[in-house]
Amino acid sequence: VHVDLVPIDAELHGDYVNDKNFKRRFQQWLNTLRKEKDEQIDKIKSSYKNAGQGPGFFFLLLLNQIF
């Protein structure tokens, strides 16, 4: 299991519904996290493939909604 703690800076606090600029910045931030997560998963999968191991099991949880 790999866990990254990501700080939520003040710039990530705002009005997602009514502030289009904030929404755009927040979505860019979240998309960057998703891209990094996908790259990390690809790296892990590749290491299993190169070692001749089975595909392994990956349990992923990504919170897609901010409450």
Side-chain angles (χ1 to χ4, degrees):
V1 174
H2 181 92
V3 176
D4 284 330
L5 297 177
V6 180
I8 305 298
D9 298 329
E11 64 190 30
L12 293 174
H13 294 259
D15 186 350
Y16 189 85
V17 175
N18 297 310
D19 185 345
K20 291 181 182 182
N21 289 327
F22 171 76
K23 183 176 182 176
R24 187 176 305 114
R25 286 191 314 271
F26 185 86
Q27 288 175 341
Q28 289 173 342
W29 174 79
L30 188 58
N31 287 338
T32 299
L33 287 181
R34 289 177 176 152
K35 181 181 177 200
E36 290 170 358
K37 173 210 37 113
D38 291 342
E39 290 170 354
Q40 188 173 33
I41 290 170
D42 289 342
K43 184 177 176 182
I44 292 168
K45 287 168 60 176
S46 176
S47 70
Y48 277 96
K49 191 175 197 178
N50 292 338
Q53 305 270 335
F57 294 96
F58 299 96
F59 295 94
L60 305 175
L61 174 62
L62 177 60
L63 182 60
N64 289 319
Q65 295 181 356
I66 305 299
F67 294 97

